[in-house]
Amino acid sequence: MDRGKKKKEEEEEEETPKRDGGDPFEFCDVCRLNHDQRPRPPPPLLPLSHVREPGDSVPCCNAINHLASSEHLRNLKGFLRKHGGGVDRIDSFRVSDEELAEWEKACKSLKSAASTSGQGTIGPFSVPLKDIQHEHTSNNMNSFDKHSITSSNSNAYHPVMPLQTLTNESHRLYPQDLSGATGAGSVPYETAAFSVDLQGNTGSARCKQPMQLVNNVKILGGYSLINRTEDQTAPGGSCNGALQKVTQISCAAKGSQQNVHSGALPPWLDANEEKDIGQLNTGQYLNNLTQTGKLKKLNPKRVGAAWAERRRIELEMEKRGERLLNTFDANWLPNFGRVWQAGTRKESKREFETEKRKSIVDDNQPELPFKAQPYISKRARTGSPNRQNADSGCVDDIANNV
Amino acid sequence: MSYALPNLSSKREVDSIIRDTLDRVLVLRFGRCSDPICLQLDDILAKSSRDISKFGVVALVDMDAEEVQVYVKYFDITLIPSTVFFFNAHHMKMDSGTADHTKWIGSFHYKQDFIDVVEAIFRGAMKGKLIVSCPLPPERIPRFQLLFKDL
């Protein structure tokens, strides 16, 4: 028993570090890990990884300003000195002044573009945007060389699309069909949301770093195809989409292209067409019977009952093809009680028709040119007979005009 | 939402719809698509058209169309939007306390108001009445001034 205890103690001594002399293990505040004294590569810096955290789609401007600050540089130098990293690589862990100026310029241009476009542009933006989706699909999450802000300049003017997937789900993206899939197409509601967001936050556009969505239409298309189509799912038959597990079923009639999209009739209508014509006729006959049954229930004293009966018979005849369509007069007018009506509706209709005829006649008659004549007083008119004869025409004209 | 309702721009179309609507109230809105009150009324009409489909039919008439001017004059339309009601090709009047009983001028406050009006007209028409009383309270009836031949 004592030997067993001693062995155990020895094992424990071997396992446990001797903390009396020196520090065999050092706790890293940044990584929150215990490291032994053996040299190890410097751990990735968490402050920068916060910027690219899967949950954050838009890194805060405060983080960028902090990364460009002198305080961060001081901390960084201390960290690298402490953990033995190369001090020459310090620039890859911070934002230089030039990069900061470029970012601010991009923010300004994005803000001005959002304000000048009025309602906000829907679609790609020609400003350098952060490509966070591409970062998640790549294998270089930890190296900041490739994903620094300077790298965004190379993709500055590529057309970009808003995110079509949750960035949390990025690890589930299948890289297959990246070259072939171009089905990103249009996601109108998402683009609208994106533009609305910009429009709504034009005031704080400076604070938000514009997103760069690389030309990953293919990736998105591949993902969307995986999610939606049956052919591109895993062979196991299940589609690991973002939200649901959908089971793939085998398409029984793959050869025939008769489906909803090709405009074919549904099977129940096809089946009906195969029935005898006699059955259809009986169906129609039954319909007529039910209709007449309903009509019998209608009040025969209702408004326009006689008109309705007549019209119904005419429509049935037209359906059977016995009568030509639209045989009524072009000048037909309905029964209408006018506003300034005096008398029955028939009289108002007649009145309107006479007014209409008068207006047509007036339009047809050419307008006589108006002749301006001088005024002749009564005395002058009743004066000399010579004057009377000469001016009678003028007086008549004046009288007519008055 | 006016895309859901038929838009009539010729006399022939108006004649057809009046003649072919049988045993249901025909609601004809005369107005312009650009007018704000017309738009408001169109919205209410579009939303209610399904609800009244068993006893009513709604259609929009473009007042600016040339062929429709004969109806604009015949119906004495001077203010827009103006809504005229028919039943079996007969004009239905409604006494709403305003100067003009031949049409409804303006929009409705609620969708239910419009449905109530159409129902009242339908019930009156089925009883053989050419003029019915408006079921709406006076505060929800739009007021306007009617001038004799724009004098």
Side-chain angles (χ1 to χ4, degrees):
Chain A
M1 287 291 285
D2 293 335
R3 277 185 192 175
K5 273 188 186 176
K6 275 186 185 176
K7 271 191 180 177
K8 274 186 185 177
E9 283 173 5
E10 281 171 0
E11 283 172 2
E12 283 174 5
E13 280 177 1
E14 282 174 5
E15 284 174 7
T16 58
K18 289 180 183 176
R19 294 183 186 179
D20 299 330
D23 290 326
F25 286 104
E26 196 173 342
F27 182 75
C28 172
D29 290 329
V30 175
C31 339
R32 294 192 180 182
L33 290 171
N34 283 317
H35 301 281
D36 57 12
Q37 283 179 333
R38 285 173 294 174
R40 278 190 183 181
L45 288 175
L46 276 180
L48 277 174
S49 70
H50 277 297
V51 170
R52 286 159 183 75
E53 206 168 323
D56 294 339
S57 63
V58 180
C60 183
C61 66
N62 291 333
I64 293 162
N65 288 326
H66 166 73
L67 290 173
S69 65
S70 54
E71 190 188 1
H72 175 70
L73 178 65
R74 212 182 323 117
N75 291 336
L76 202 58
K77 282 182 182 169
F79 185 86
L80 287 171
R81 226 180 290 125
K82 195 174 175 186
H83 294 282
V87 185
D88 53 346
R89 287 173 59 203
I90 200 166
D91 285 332
S92 58
F93 297 118
R94 60 181 280 268
V95 175
S96 66
D97 292 333
E98 288 166 6
E99 286 164 357
L100 182 70
E102 274 176 34
W103 169 73
E104 280 174 359
K105 202 176 165 186
C107 279
K108 273 184 197 171
S109 64
L110 190 67
K111 190 183 170 185
S112 64
S115 60
T116 53
S117 66
Q119 299 256 323
T121 55
I122 296 172
F125 294 87
S126 60
V127 291
L129 298 174
K130 202 77 177 163
D131 170 25
I132 54 173
Q133 191 145 9
H134 182 63
E135 285 166 18
H136 290 309
T137 56
S138 71
N139 295 323
N140 297 321
M141 282 289 291
N142 295 328
S143 67
F144 294 102
D145 292 338
K146 291 187 183 179
H147 299 292
S148 63
I149 296 167
T150 50
S151 70
S152 70
N153 292 331
S154 62
N155 297 326
Y157 297 105
H158 281 203
V160 292
M161 292 287 284
L163 291 174
Q164 295 183 10
T165 59
L166 298 172
T167 50
N168 286 336
E169 304 297 336
S170 61
H171 62 278
R172 292 192 196 177
L173 282 175
Y174 292 98
Q176 59 188 339
D177 296 328
L178 290 180
S179 58
T182 54
S186 61
V187 186
Y189 75 97
E190 286 186 352
T191 57
F194 180 65
S195 67
V196 163
D197 180 50
L198 280 176
Q199 191 189 5
N201 294 315
T202 47
S204 62
R206 244 186 105 84
C207 298
K208 287 187 181 177
Q209 184 175 6
M211 282 198 290
Q212 181 187 18
L213 301 168
V214 80
N215 199 0
N216 59 355
V217 166
K218 293 174 184 177
I219 296 168
L220 295 173
Y223 180 75
S224 67
L225 282 172
I226 285 164
N227 212 2
R228 288 170 202 170
T229 64
E230 295 170 356
D231 296 331
Q232 295 177 7
T233 51
S238 67
C239 170
N240 291 327
L243 303 169
Q244 292 174 354
K245 276 195 174 180
V246 180
T247 310
Q248 182 184 3
I249 53 168
S250 59
C251 207
K254 279 190 178 178
S256 64
Q257 291 180 357
Q258 297 287 325
N259 55 16
V260 168
H261 304 293
S262 66
L265 282 171
W268 55 88
L269 283 181
D270 285 340
N272 283 340
E273 283 176 1
E274 290 171 3
K275 285 181 184 174
D276 293 335
I277 299 168
Q279 286 183 358
L280 286 171
N281 282 338
T282 54
Q284 281 177 352
Y285 178 67
L286 282 168
N287 281 337
N288 287 336
L289 277 179
T290 50
Q291 273 183 3
T292 50
K294 280 182 188 174
L295 285 171
K296 280 179 184 173
K297 290 179 186 175
L298 288 174
N299 184 4
K301 291 180 186 175
R302 68 188 186 281
V303 170
W307 160 268
E309 298 296 334
R310 246 184 294 130
R311 188 73 190 129
R312 198 162 268 122
I313 293 164
E314 282 173 14
L315 286 170
E316 277 175 19
M317 285 166 75
E318 278 168 12
K319 268 185 197 174
R320 279 183 237 151
E322 290 173 13
R323 195 175 162 163
L324 290 168
L325 296 164
N326 296 330
T327 54
F328 57 89
D329 187 20
N331 294 326
W332 176 85
L333 288 169
N335 176 290
F336 189 82
R338 299 186 79 190
V339 180
W340 311 102
Q341 173 191 335
T344 61
R345 290 185 178 190
K346 279 185 185 173
E347 282 181 22
S348 65
K349 197 172 173 182
R350 253 181 257 141
E351 198 183 300
F352 174 75
E353 280 167 358
T354 50
E355 278 174 18
K356 202 173 151 191
R357 260 183 260 127
K358 268 187 188 175
S359 64
I360 292 166
V361 165
D362 288 339
D363 288 339
N364 289 338
Q365 272 182 1
E367 282 181 19
L368 296 168
F370 175 70
K371 263 186 181 177
Q373 299 288 333
Y375 173 71
I376 298 165
S377 65
K378 212 172 178 180
R379 271 189 195 173
R381 274 182 257 151
T382 54
S384 62
N386 291 332
R387 254 195 193 172
Q388 262 186 352
N389 293 329
D391 297 336
S392 60
C394 298
V395 168
D396 287 339
D397 283 339
I398 290 164
N400 285 338
N401 287 331
V402 167
Chain B
M1 284 292 281
S2 62
Y3 67 86
L5 298 171
N7 218 309
L8 314 175
S9 53
S10 70
K11 186 180 182 290
R12 201 162 193 80
E13 287 172 351
V14 178
D15 291 346
S16 299
I17 201 166
I18 291 172
R19 292 168 67 94
D20 296 342
T21 305
L22 302 175
D23 296 323
R24 285 194 295 174
V25 177
L26 173 63
V27 181
L28 286 181
R29 184 280 274 149
F30 284 81
R32 284 188 196 108
C33 292
S34 54
D35 183 58
I37 301 180
C38 284
L39 283 171
Q40 185 192 345
L41 178 63
D42 290 353
D43 184 50
I44 288 172
L45 296 177
K47 286 176 182 172
S48 332
S49 63
R50 197 184 160 88
D51 296 331
I52 63 165
S53 57
K54 289 201 170 177
F55 58 93
V57 172
V58 185
L60 310 177
V61 183
D62 184 15
M63 248 196 68
D64 295 324
E66 260 190 63
E67 286 190 51
V68 174
Q69 296 307 311
V70 63
Y71 275 124
V72 170
K73 284 176 194 163
Y74 184 44
F75 298 156
D76 293 320
I77 292 169
T78 49
L79 300 164
I80 58 165
S82 288
T83 310
V84 185
F85 302 96
F86 288 90
F87 189 86
N88 286 337
H90 282 64
H91 173 230
M92 294 295 295
K93 293 188 184 182
M94 185 169 65
D95 181 6
S96 49
T98 57
D100 190 352
H101 297 171
T102 63
K103 57 183 87 67
W104 176 273
I105 291 175
S107 179
F108 294 91
H109 279 68
Y110 304 105
K111 200 176 91 171
Q112 191 57 45
D113 285 354
F114 169 68
I115 294 170
D116 291 343
V117 162
V118 175
E119 189 192 340
I121 290 170
F122 179 76
R123 285 181 185 278
M126 291 306 277
K127 289 178 188 170
K129 295 182 181 179
L130 282 171
I131 184 162
V132 299
S133 321
C134 182
L136 305 182
E139 57 267 15
R140 293 215 291 267
I141 298 171
R143 298 288 162 188
F144 54 89
Q145 205 176 10
L146 198 66
L147 303 171
F148 177 71
K149 297 191 179 180
D150 292 334
L151 290 174

